[in-house]
Amino acid sequence: MPDGLLTTLTYGLSLAEHPDWQHGSPELCLSVNSTNVIWAHAVGFLAEQLRGTFPFCYGSTINFGERIVPESEMTAFCVFASMVLDRADYLGIDVGVPGHEGHEVINIQGMYPIHEVERQFINERGLETFWNSDCEPTDVLRCPAI
């Protein structure tokens, strides 16, 4: 895990079912340059509230509906690959019991705080265009990248 970043992982989201989860069930990973644990609680809250109803697939955005923490103007999240874990450590994690390997697979999805204008941009133009912009995804005090 990176030094100096608040990093959190969920547990329990993958226990639900969703029709879009064909190649594994998600758990969420957040890494931000902050000491405010409300960031971690917000991701856990979303996992609990949206489990089984929201796909948490790459490019998905979630409107939190208000500032996530008081000191940041960010009000939404975007889902993409984890930037703090190696690909082998976040995709295809087999948690099945011996003899049932391959039946319970977890993929850890990265959660990135974003501004509302960025959420709208991603929904209209796609994640790739936004991700190629000049933005530091761990900086929760940054200005909008677009």
Side-chain angles (χ1 to χ4, degrees):
M1 292 295 149
D3 288 334
L5 296 181
L6 171 70
T7 299
T8 185
L9 295 160
T10 62
Y11 172 77
L13 175 60
S14 62
L15 299 175
E17 294 184 13
H18 190 280
D20 290 353
W21 300 347
Q22 301 298 312
H23 303 289
S25 303
E27 289 296 345
L28 308 176
C29 177
L30 171 81
S31 285
V32 292
N33 189 4
S34 176
T35 57
N36 191 334
V37 296
I38 293 174
W39 289 107
H41 292 282
V43 171
F45 173 80
L46 290 174
E48 176 62 26
Q49 294 298 308
L50 300 176
R51 57 186 263 165
T53 61
F54 189 80
F56 293 98
C57 58
Y58 289 1
S60 299
T61 61
I62 303 165
N63 182 356
F64 198 71
E66 60 185 87
R67 285 183 178 202
I68 300 161
V69 299
E71 64 268 18
S72 174
E73 294 183 18
M74 295 180 171
T75 60
F77 287 94
C78 177
V79 181
F80 193 48
S82 173
M83 64 178 224
V84 298
L85 299 171
D86 292 331
R87 184 178 175 91
D89 293 330
Y90 69 78
L91 286 182
I93 304 165
D94 193 337
V95 295
V97 296
H100 289 94
E101 291 86 1
H103 294 284
E104 295 179 33
V105 176
I106 292 175
N107 298 306
I108 299 174
Q109 314 288 61
M111 292 287 282
Y112 300 93
I114 56 175
H115 294 274
E116 175 59 21
V117 67
E118 294 169 332
R119 187 186 70 80
Q120 292 173 10
F121 182 89
I122 291 167
N123 289 344
E124 292 170 8
R125 299 193 186 163
L127 178 61
E128 185 175 353
T129 304
F130 171 75
W131 205 254
N132 290 328
S133 67
D134 186 28
C135 118
E136 172 52 50
T138 64
D139 182 0
V140 296
L141 300 178
R142 67 176 173 77
C143 294
I146 50 145

